[in-house]
Amino acid sequence: YKIRAASTIKIPYTLVIGDKEIAADGMWNETTAISLRQFGSKDNFPLSLGAFLEKIIREIESKQITAFLTNAT
């Protein structure tokens, strides 16, 4: 339900982090596995939290998501 709701309000990225992605100690780090879904896609892409952070930082720095950030305020 939450993933569907995120897609209807056009959130650019939905991160899915469940029990199986979190280490036994409950801690997150850059190697934590996440599942990423981009707006407009029904596919989930597995990657590490660190890789996602690098991707989103590059997009912000290159201003590829400026319109989203401007509309969010």
Side-chain angles (χ1 to χ4, degrees):
Y1 173 76
K2 293 177 183 179
I3 294 172
R4 167 94 171 106
S7 69
T8 62
I9 57 174
K10 300 182 181 178
I11 293 177
Y13 297 106
T14 303
L15 301 180
V16 179
I17 306 172
D19 291 338
K20 66 182 178 181
E21 287 86 11
I22 301 298
D25 61 5
M27 301 299 294
W28 296 18
N29 60 41
E30 288 189 7
T31 62
T32 299
I34 64 169
S35 185
L36 173 69
R37 178 181 287 193
Q38 287 187 273
F39 175 72
S41 174
K42 294 186 181 198
D43 298 326
N44 290 336
F45 301 97
L47 72 157
S48 70
L49 182 58
F52 171 73
L53 292 174
E54 288 175 12
K55 174 182 175 42
I56 198 71
I57 288 169
R58 278 194 313 270
E59 287 185 17
I60 291 169
E61 289 173 346
S62 67
K63 300 182 184 197
Q64 291 180 0
I65 62 171
T66 303
F68 170 73
L69 295 175
T70 303
N71 292 331
T73 57

